[in-house]
Amino acid sequence: MTNFSDLNISTSKRFVGDKIKIAKIFNREIVLKDFKIEDSKFEGKGDRLKLHFELDGEEHITFTASKTLMEMVKRIPSESFPVKTTIVKEGEYFVFT
């Protein structure tokens, strides 16, 4: 009989922490721990960015459809995580600084 552990099956990556609205972290330093770009849960809305971060020593997650943030976060080399950053709103766009 085969043991489940011998099958090398793992779950997709999971993020831990309370969900927080992105507007609550604007202009505050966070430690970006990981991210995932996935299909939006809203029909026809494209992709969404799921961020796993630390704020004031506590882990959180947030979601955004910001294409600018998605493009910026994809350029961070995986070996650079975790990364200190601040999300600011510049006009109609969100950006990492």
Side-chain angles (χ1 to χ4, degrees):
M1 180 181 300
T2 303
N3 288 324
F4 185 83
S5 60
D6 296 331
L7 299 174
N8 294 320
I9 297 172
S10 63
T11 61
S12 60
K13 79 174 126 166
R14 301 205 182 266
F15 298 156
V16 296
D18 293 331
K19 181 178 167 186
I20 188 170
K21 291 185 183 229
I22 196 165
K24 294 192 181 252
I25 62 173
F26 288 159
N27 304 311
R28 297 177 72 185
E29 186 176 86
I30 62 171
V31 176
L32 186 56
K33 299 181 103 176
D34 206 350
F35 75 95
K36 182 177 182 182
I37 297 175
E38 56 193 9
D39 290 336
S40 174
K41 68 179 185 176
F42 301 107
E43 184 80 26
K45 295 293 183 181
D47 292 333
R48 72 175 179 176
L49 174 62
K50 182 178 185 178
L51 295 175
H52 177 215
F53 64 95
E54 189 175 303
L55 174 67
D56 299 330
E58 295 186 24
E59 292 190 49
H60 297 281
I61 59 170
T62 194
F63 300 91
T64 180
S66 169
K67 301 227 181 288
T68 306
L69 288 182
M70 284 186 230
E71 289 303 316
M72 292 177 84
V73 77
K74 285 192 286 189
R75 290 188 262 166
I76 301 171
S78 60
E79 63 273 3
S80 296
F81 284 92
V83 176
K84 283 185 184 177
T85 188
T86 303
I87 299 173
V88 297
K89 188 171 181 184
E90 290 185 353
E92 297 296 315
Y93 302 98
F94 306 150
V95 295
F96 292 109
T97 60

